Amino acid sequence: MSKNRTAVTMIVLATLVMLSPLLLNQHAILGVDGYFQYNRVYEAAMQIKHNNFSFINMYSFQQAGRVVNSLYSPLMTYLAGALLLLVGTWFRFQLVSAFLVLFISGFGMYRAGRKLSLSRNLAIALGIIFLSSNALYGFVIGITWRSIALGLLPLFVGPIIALYEGNWQLKSMLQLGLYMALLAQVQILATVIFIPFLVPFFYHGLRKSSQWLNGLLNLLAGALFALILSLNVILPVLEVYRGNTLIAPTSMVLMDQVSHILQPIYVGVDSSSDIVMTIIVYALIMGMIVFWRRLEKFTKCFAIVSMTYILVGTSLVPWDTLQTWWPYLQSFLQMPRRISLVGTPFLILATALVYYEAAQNAKDIKLQKNIAIASVFLGVLSLSLCTQKVSQNVHYGFKEDTSLVDGLQTTPNNVVSKLKYMTQLQPAFHTHNLGKLITQVDRATPDYIPITHKIDPDDYGKVYKAYSTNFSKQRHHFHYQVVKNGVKLSWTAKHATTKSVPVVAYRRTQLVLNGHALKSGEFKHKWIGNISVKQRRGRNTLTVRYQKSHVTALGSGLTGAVWVVVVAVICAMRIPLIKEM
């Protein structure tokens, strides 16, 4: 970074400007994904603090014995949990985590631009445009975890060039594998969506390479390296999904969730696009038409693939028809705009590359100056609009009449809390009692809960209401205690009868009721995921633990050990990951 002081300074300043509404108002934002993600971070923090690690969530998600963290970026969540313990309050965590995500994304985009031989000033402008784009600001205003994954995508520019040129040396392929594993540690879905992006560059490199067999072996080694570094993400998913019927993520109408990037309007606070990205996408289309003959083959391929990703996520694709053919896309993909968001960093880079290359090849000084002016203008415009967007969200939560339900962007059936307004929640962000933010509000997020049968997508409103009724609203009837690798519930009963308990049971969940280990036939699953047991008169205790398979345990341990070695080697060689692009 010492060699790029100007870039570092500008990107730091841009990041601080974007976060200034939070800093100046000392007011945190808790968007649509805030409670889900912060429950996960709190869980990781408490497991680290108490040295009590478990496959199930013991401190969060209503302490119902749910498997959440193990299925969703476990390693990255532990890093976030450690950061939370380090800074001490949720408000500081929100500021520091947002700063890190925005800065790393912006600086990564700058380095990607330099890798493509763009000028330093142009690369800096691209970094600012990217960190204030719709791909990244979701982390600030909605705590959307996918923004972390999207912010890592500029790292792949180096491996993409290597793939295209047929430079499939072992070092390049291991680097690609490392970046793929890093992306998988953040979000599997983003990884799955991104992989097809590499196919055209792989195909060209395969045709161009003179030693394609050795290259394929090196590529296979890189894939194996990525697999080993991702076992802690893959194996728990395979284990839990294989033996259980789980509530799928919320089903959405695909056409309602497309990208609006082709619409030349500024849609508003909750838009999935913005005017700067609309300008850039049309600029790329115009540049490809006007300067096609001036462009190198790589630039053409890069621009076409990037544009394809942008267009596939819009309503130009018949998503209604695809939804009819493959209904599972409503829960798996949910939002087609995710495809466009994956293409966003490459769209920004491709547009700059098209114009910059056209000017360089034609030695057009005037066009070079116009590119510089346009990049600075778009950077300032993007940062200004995004900062206003953050400010509007802070103001909305700052208003005394903003209800808790509206602030969490959900419905009354999904929230159980004594609080009524968002302003009442703000003190919990500034106290060192980290659990206060988590316990003051129970928001229904029934992801990954084991159920008796698949649920029709039209019944998801009923599911969320039933979860609040059977879990959140029943918690006050029980006393909770975190024990080694599990949770113990206790209650007093007047009669020996069947009792519904706000606990879930997976195939490998271990339940001990009053000292007796329950077998599968000794408790009953309810349709929403909770169970019923036969209580005795007087005091009852139920301990919930999970016994993961030996394969999952060994695989996760191997992944952790290899990551430690990789980080140690990188630190020993004093070669930052970002420099390896």
Side-chain angles (χ1 to χ4, degrees):
M1 289 189 182
S2 62
K3 298 179 181 179
N4 301 283
R5 291 178 181 175
T6 302
V8 170
T9 302
M10 295 300 295
I11 293 171
V12 166
L13 289 175
T15 302
L16 291 176
V17 168
M18 187 167 162
L19 297 178
S20 61
L22 283 78
L23 284 165
L24 296 175
N25 291 283
Q26 290 291 296
H27 192 91
I29 298 177
L30 196 62
V32 63
D33 285 346
Y35 254 99
F36 179 77
Q37 302 300 352
Y38 279 3
N39 265 265
R40 298 196 315 107
V41 173
Y42 176 74
E43 176 71 29
M46 292 301 102
Q47 289 192 17
I48 294 172
K49 180 178 180 179
H50 298 289
N51 192 29
N52 186 15
F53 298 92
S54 176
F55 196 81
I56 61 174
N57 285 49
M58 303 175 292
Y59 301 89
S60 58
F61 292 105
Q62 296 78 42
Q63 295 182 283
R66 293 170 55 181
V67 179
V68 181
N69 282 28
S70 297
L71 300 179
Y72 196 145
S73 64
L75 181 58
M76 187 62 64
T77 307
Y78 277 119
L79 293 177
L83 177 61
L84 175 61
L85 293 176
L86 181 65
V87 298
T89 70
W90 282 107
F91 182 68
R92 294 174 187 170
F93 172 79
Q94 185 167 106
L95 288 176
V96 175
S97 61
F99 179 87
L100 290 174
V101 170
L102 296 178
F103 174 77
I104 292 172
S105 302
F107 189 74
M109 175 62 80
Y110 162 77
R111 292 294 297 148
R114 296 296 289 159
K115 188 67 178 179
L116 292 171
S117 301
L118 300 178
S119 69
R120 190 177 303 274
N121 291 338
L122 178 56
I124 292 173
L126 298 186
I128 294 174
I129 292 172
F130 182 51
L131 71 86
S132 56
S133 69
N134 55 348
L136 271 298
Y137 63 60
F139 187 79
V140 181
I141 65 177
I143 324 296
T144 53
W145 211 253
R146 67 168 178 264
S147 296
I148 306 177
L150 297 173
L152 296 176
L153 292 179
L155 285 172
F156 288 90
V157 168
I160 285 173
I161 295 174
L163 279 177
Y164 182 84
E165 294 177 347
N167 180 23
W168 294 5
Q169 298 179 5
L170 182 60
K171 180 181 178 181
S172 299
M173 296 302 99
L174 290 179
Q175 184 186 65
L176 175 60
L178 177 62
Y179 291 158
M180 290 299 299
L182 184 61
L183 187 63
Q185 289 294 337
V186 179
Q187 192 181 60
I188 284 289
L189 181 57
T191 308
V192 172
I193 295 174
F194 172 67
I195 288 176
F197 190 97
L198 301 174
V199 172
F201 305 97
F202 162 80
Y203 177 72
H204 182 273
L206 184 64
R207 293 185 59 187
K208 185 177 180 179
S209 177
S210 58
Q211 297 180 338
W212 59 270
L213 182 58
N214 289 335
L216 284 177
L217 291 176
N218 291 336
L219 180 62
L220 182 61
L224 181 61
F225 187 46
L227 180 64
I228 293 174
L229 289 173
S230 306
L231 288 176
N232 67 317
V233 178
I234 298 172
L235 292 178
V237 172
L238 294 178
E239 175 178 315
V240 174
Y241 274 86
R242 182 180 58 184
N244 305 277
T245 300
L246 305 183
I247 292 181
T250 302
S251 181
M252 298 183 180
V253 178
L254 298 179
M255 191 59 80
D256 291 342
Q257 303 297 329
V258 296
S259 171
H260 301 295
I261 195 169
L262 296 180
Q263 299 178 12
I265 56 174
Y266 188 57
V267 184
V269 175
D270 298 321
S271 69
S272 58
S273 182
D274 57 58
I275 193 170
V276 174
M277 295 311 302
T278 301
I279 292 172
I280 290 175
V281 73
Y282 282 111
L284 179 56
I285 295 172
M286 290 293 296
M288 291 171 64
I289 295 173
V290 175
F291 302 120
W292 183 257
R293 293 184 179 181
R294 299 188 194 178
L295 305 179
E296 304 294 335
K297 290 183 178 179
F298 171 80
T299 303
K300 293 177 180 178
C301 181
F302 191 59
I304 290 173
V305 177
S306 302
M307 181 59 68
T308 300
Y309 261 68
I310 296 300
L311 297 181
V312 168
T314 68
S315 57
L316 292 178
V317 173
W319 287 107
D320 285 333
T321 302
L322 296 179
Q323 177 177 305
T324 303
W325 291 348
W326 300 298
Y328 68 88
L329 287 176
Q330 292 182 259
S331 293
F332 176 73
L333 178 62
Q334 292 182 312
M335 296 173 282
R337 65 171 177 265
R338 284 174 169 166
I339 302 173
S340 295
L341 289 173
V342 168
T344 294
F346 305 112
L347 168 73
I348 297 171
L349 287 167
T351 305
L353 184 60
V354 165
Y355 283 88
Y356 188 79
E357 192 172 276
Q360 291 290 102
N361 291 341
K363 298 181 180 180
D364 190 334
I365 305 299
K366 184 178 180 180
L367 180 58
Q368 292 180 30
K369 291 182 179 179
N370 289 336
I371 292 171
I373 294 172
S375 64
V376 173
F377 170 75
L378 290 178
V380 173
L381 177 63
S382 181
L383 184 61
S384 300
L385 293 174
C386 190
T387 304
Q388 291 180 70
K389 186 184 293 286
V390 175
S391 182
Q392 289 168 1
N393 279 268
V394 170
H395 171 70
Y396 185 68
F398 202 78
K399 293 168 60 178
E400 293 185 358
D401 60 345
T402 300
S403 68
L404 182 67
V405 172
D406 291 338
L408 297 179
Q409 300 177 32
T410 184
T411 63
N413 289 333
N414 296 345
V415 176
V416 177
S417 177
K418 295 180 180 179
L419 306 182
K420 294 183 178 181
Y421 302 101
M422 282 298 295
T423 52
Q424 295 175 296
L425 191 60
Q426 282 300 313
F429 283 95
H430 299 275
T431 178
H432 289 276
N433 180 7
L434 300 176
K436 188 174 182 180
L437 179 67
I438 304 302
T439 57
Q440 278 193 327
V441 178
D442 264 350
R443 189 190 189 285
T445 49
D447 302 53
Y448 315 123
I449 286 182
I451 50 178
T452 57
H453 59 277
K454 290 185 178 181
I455 297 174
D456 190 273
D458 295 334
D459 292 334
Y460 270 84
K462 179 181 177 182
V463 169
Y464 277 71
K465 183 178 180 180
Y467 182 86
S468 295
T469 301
N470 292 277
F471 287 89
S472 299
K473 293 181 180 180
Q474 296 299 319
R475 295 193 71 229
H476 67 280
H477 296 301
F478 301 85
H479 173 73
Y480 291 80
Q481 179 186 0
V482 177
V483 295
K484 187 65 176 177
N485 301 325
V487 180
K488 179 187 288 187
L489 284 73
S490 58
W491 69 96
T492 302
K494 295 182 178 180
H495 306 283
T497 183
T498 301
K499 175 72 172 179
S500 293
V501 184
V503 164
V504 301
Y506 300 86
R507 186 173 64 89
R508 301 184 68 88
T509 294
Q510 296 177 330
L511 300 173
V512 178
L513 177 64
N514 300 322
H516 171 66
L518 298 180
K519 298 179 181 179
S520 59
E522 295 179 305
F523 62 92
K524 184 178 180 181
H525 289 270
K526 299 296 185 69
W527 76 272
I528 191 58
N530 60 323
I531 62 173
S532 59
V533 298
K534 293 181 180 179
Q535 65 182 7
R536 67 187 180 191
R537 184 181 178 183
R539 180 176 173 80
N540 292 266
T541 61
L542 177 66
T543 303
V544 186
R545 290 186 174 92
Y546 186 97
Q547 182 62 49
K548 58 185 175 183
S549 68
H550 294 297
V551 173
T552 299
L554 290 174
S556 299
L558 176 62
T559 293
V562 175
W563 270 110
V564 170
V565 172
V566 168
V567 173
V569 169
I570 292 172
C571 293
M573 295 176 64
R574 296 184 179 181
I575 302 177
L577 282 174
I578 201 72
K579 191 177 179 180
E580 283 293 311
M581 293 173 53

